[in-house]
Amino acid sequence: MELATREQIEAIHNTSLKILSELGIRVMSARVMDIFEAAGAKVDRGEDTIRIDAEVIDEALRTVPETFTLTGRNPAKKLTIGGRNVAFGLVAGPPNVHDCITGRRSGNLADYENFIRLAHHFNAINIIGNQVTAPMELPANNRHLDTYRANLRLSDLSFHCTAIGKGRAMDGINMMAIARGISPEEMETDPGIITIISVNSPRLLDGEMAEGLIAMALHGQPVSVTPFTLMGAMTPVSLPAALTQQNAEALFGIALTQLVSPGAPVMYGAFTSNVDMKSGAPAFGTPENTKANLIAGQLARRYRIPYRTSNANASNAVDLQAAYETSMATWGAVMGGANMVYHAAGWLEGGLTASYEKLILDVEIIQNMMELLKPIDFSEGELGFDAIADVPTGGHFFGTSHTLERYETAFYKPILSDWTGHGAWEAAGAKDALTRATELWQRALGEYREPVLDPAIAEELETYIAHRKEEIGAGEP
């Protein structure tokens, strides 16, 4: 779906280039300044600001691949990112967890591991996000090793590694290579992990993010460059201005990946929404957020770059607000041509909480979208002329061969929705969707089966983790 005209997209592009050439991006990294200076950019080291002309951007965009693959330890689940492919990701980053049995609590490793089990159990979730919840009881400088271990032991999906600095990025690369039984060098041409590099809007890239980006690009692992642009807070309050700033910041990071390693896989990331102007709190799933998802997709297609966005909500509870905001944002993402919908399952409270029940509701929304995206068969047999002719006017099709033969594949089969009718619903206990969601995540954890991991690989991972914890404890990055 294209909401903006071609002329409007070009206006955003041209103004973005003006921002980059006249205002520039502040970067807290001498290494990045050296890289851009060698490419012909104007570097003001007193202001830590890099200004780049259109030629640098144009040259970088020429080497960006239009698609790339992500292979976890199960090659059968390899993802193709780009084109008309859509992948849905697990929520990432909340410091808190909630379920209707225990309530709200700080993130911890036990809950983290449960969310990884649920992500593996439901086929609607294609990729694991960066720390679905932060395990607050573990040391901040090395807990990424424990979460990477959980990702690789409890699931066989690709995952998003933490790229706050080179060390965390390299740990993700090395541990995925171990889990796949290959070398990091072999993984350079067959990526296994991805990261998100957040630009600190407005117009600032910090040094640790820059080092993480460089490490990933040098080792052939994809990066999603994602400005954090909330209208009225980190950007001007109008949508065109916000998208222009987002575009400038995204293009800067994308260019950096190609200056470091031409041809490195990279995604155009978008996270533009608005804030509530009374409280300053982020709002998601709004009309502005949905429009931003649509137009950002047009910009990504203009540059022929795979597109990442999100379907977040700002509700404080798993309620109607959470559902309609997520649905609005998901429609914007899917109709905007997103190749990766991040935070797609489990996000609640504006990103402060990972919710078990919300994950179940989101899986239902995602599965609806997956069915929607399936192509329709208009072959002669599927047009059903013979089946229609066989049933007299006023009859029904329940017993016809056309219906019986196709029943298993004809309709979406929900995990959550209840279409049994009022009488059957009352007889089953008159449970609302939230109650059914609580039962479903508990049942899913009971049905979960851990994917087999070679004991020798498991031992190698443990050895690596122990060694890295010693290094990090000694002050090494």
Side-chain angles (χ1 to χ4, degrees):
M1 181 176 179
E2 298 198 344
L3 191 64
T5 66
R6 183 175 299 179
E7 292 75 19
Q8 289 168 335
I9 293 296
E10 288 308 301
I12 292 174
H13 170 72
N14 291 330
T15 308
S16 301
L17 296 180
K18 187 176 181 181
I19 290 171
L20 291 172
S21 64
E22 296 183 15
L23 302 177
I25 303 291
R26 190 179 178 210
V27 180
M28 311 302 290
S29 167
R31 186 180 183 187
V32 173
M33 292 181 193
D34 293 341
I35 291 169
F36 273 102
E37 193 168 50
K42 300 171 185 175
V43 176
D44 186 329
R45 295 180 186 268
E47 295 182 354
D48 297 325
T49 299
I50 299 172
R51 295 176 175 85
I52 54 179
D53 292 330
E55 291 75 15
V56 175
I57 296 296
D58 290 342
E59 183 61 30
L61 291 174
R62 272 193 279 273
T63 59
V64 174
E66 294 186 30
T67 63
F68 59 86
T69 60
L70 274 175
T71 308
R73 68 178 180 92
N74 182 354
K77 295 182 180 180
K78 175 180 285 194
L79 298 175
T80 298
I81 307 297
R84 296 183 65 84
N85 302 294
V86 187
F88 295 93
L90 186 62
V91 61
N96 303 299
V97 178
H98 179 273
D99 67 65
C100 289
I101 299 171
T102 310
R104 191 175 188 266
R105 55 199 177 273
S106 292
N108 57 83
L109 187 60
D111 281 312
Y112 183 101
E113 292 178 340
N114 274 343
F115 275 99
I116 302 305
R117 293 182 178 101
L118 291 172
H120 180 77
H121 180 78
F122 291 112
N123 67 355
I125 301 173
N126 310 119
I127 187 168
I128 296 169
N130 167 34
Q131 294 195 11
V132 56
T133 185
M136 304 295 281
E137 79 274 26
L138 301 180
N141 64 348
N142 67 26
R143 64 190 179 204
H144 66 281
L145 295 166
D146 297 282
T147 61
Y148 292 171
R149 176 205 284 125
N151 295 347
L152 293 167
R153 179 170 60 85
L154 302 176
S155 173
D156 55 13
L157 301 173
S158 297
F159 67 88
H160 162 193
C161 75
T162 302
I164 304 173
K166 176 183 176 181
R168 290 176 173 87
M170 291 307 304
D171 286 334
I173 292 169
N174 291 332
M175 289 178 69
M176 177 58 83
I178 291 170
R180 289 173 58 184
I182 61 177
S183 69
E185 291 73 26
E186 289 175 293
M187 212 165 76
E188 289 180 10
T189 56
D190 187 10
I193 60 170
I194 189 170
T195 196
I196 290 176
I197 298 298
S198 297
V199 179
N200 292 347
S201 306
R203 299 173 31 242
L204 173 65
L205 179 64
D206 73 49
E208 291 298 291
M209 284 275 102
E211 287 301 320
L213 179 151
I214 291 169
M216 292 288 283
L218 283 174
H219 291 82
Q221 305 306 298
V223 169
S224 172
V225 181
T226 307
F228 186 27
T229 38
L230 295 179
M231 289 177 273
M234 295 85 147
T235 76
V237 76
S238 66
L239 183 59
L243 288 169
T244 300
Q245 182 183 311
Q246 169 193 280
N247 198 56
E249 294 171 352
L251 289 176
F252 181 87
I254 290 164
L256 178 56
T257 66
Q258 301 309 295
L259 292 176
V260 169
S261 179
V266 63
M267 298 192 77
Y268 183 105
F271 201 68
T272 292
S273 192
N274 56 292
V275 297
D276 178 84
M277 295 303 291
K278 292 181 180 179
S279 67
F284 299 104
T286 62
E288 293 81 7
N289 179 217
T290 302
K291 288 178 181 178
N293 281 350
L294 291 167
I295 297 173
Q298 291 181 253
L299 290 162
R301 290 192 296 278
R302 185 209 182 279
Y303 304 125
R304 300 180 183 274
I305 300 176
Y307 171 40
R308 170 258 154 154
T309 190
S310 298
N311 63 343
N313 71 95
S315 180
N316 293 312
V318 185
D319 58 6
L320 179 60
Q321 178 187 342
Y324 70 66
E325 287 181 351
T326 299
S327 294
M328 281 283 289
T330 306
W331 274 110
V334 171
M335 299 303 288
N339 302 117
M340 184 179 292
V341 183
Y342 206 60
H343 304 301
W347 170 291
L348 191 66
E349 203 182 331
L352 292 178
T353 298
S355 164
Y356 282 80
E357 282 81 17
K358 183 62 166 52
L359 182 145
I360 297 298
L361 266 70
D362 289 338
V363 165
E364 184 97 329
I365 291 172
I366 295 168
Q367 288 181 340
N368 273 282
M369 289 294 170
M370 291 167 68
E371 289 292 323
L372 177 76
L373 293 169
K374 287 182 179 178
I376 302 171
D377 184 356
F378 281 99
S379 61
E380 184 175 346
E382 293 305 311
L383 290 172
F385 178 85
D386 291 340
I388 293 168
D390 284 345
V391 176
T393 302
H396 63 78
F397 291 85
F398 282 112
T400 65
S401 60
H402 186 89
T403 296
L404 294 174
E405 290 169 4
R406 292 162 177 78
Y407 170 71
E408 285 302 319
T409 58
F411 301 122
Y412 160 66
K413 295 173 179 59
I415 63 164
L416 178 67
S417 298
D418 186 353
W419 301 331
T420 57
H422 189 77
W425 174 68
E426 279 194 325
K431 299 171 184 176
D432 61 17
L434 189 58
T435 303
R436 295 198 301 275
T438 302
E439 294 176 352
L440 277 166
W441 68 255
Q442 292 177 290
R443 189 174 77 195
L445 288 178
E447 295 174 352
Y448 163 82
R449 295 294 178 267
E450 185 174 315
V452 176
L453 180 63
D454 186 308
I457 287 177
E459 183 178 352
E460 188 176 354
L461 282 171
E462 292 302 323
T463 300
Y464 179 90
I465 290 169
H467 174 67
R468 283 292 290 136
K469 285 188 174 181
E470 287 183 6
E471 288 186 334
I472 293 169
E476 296 186 35

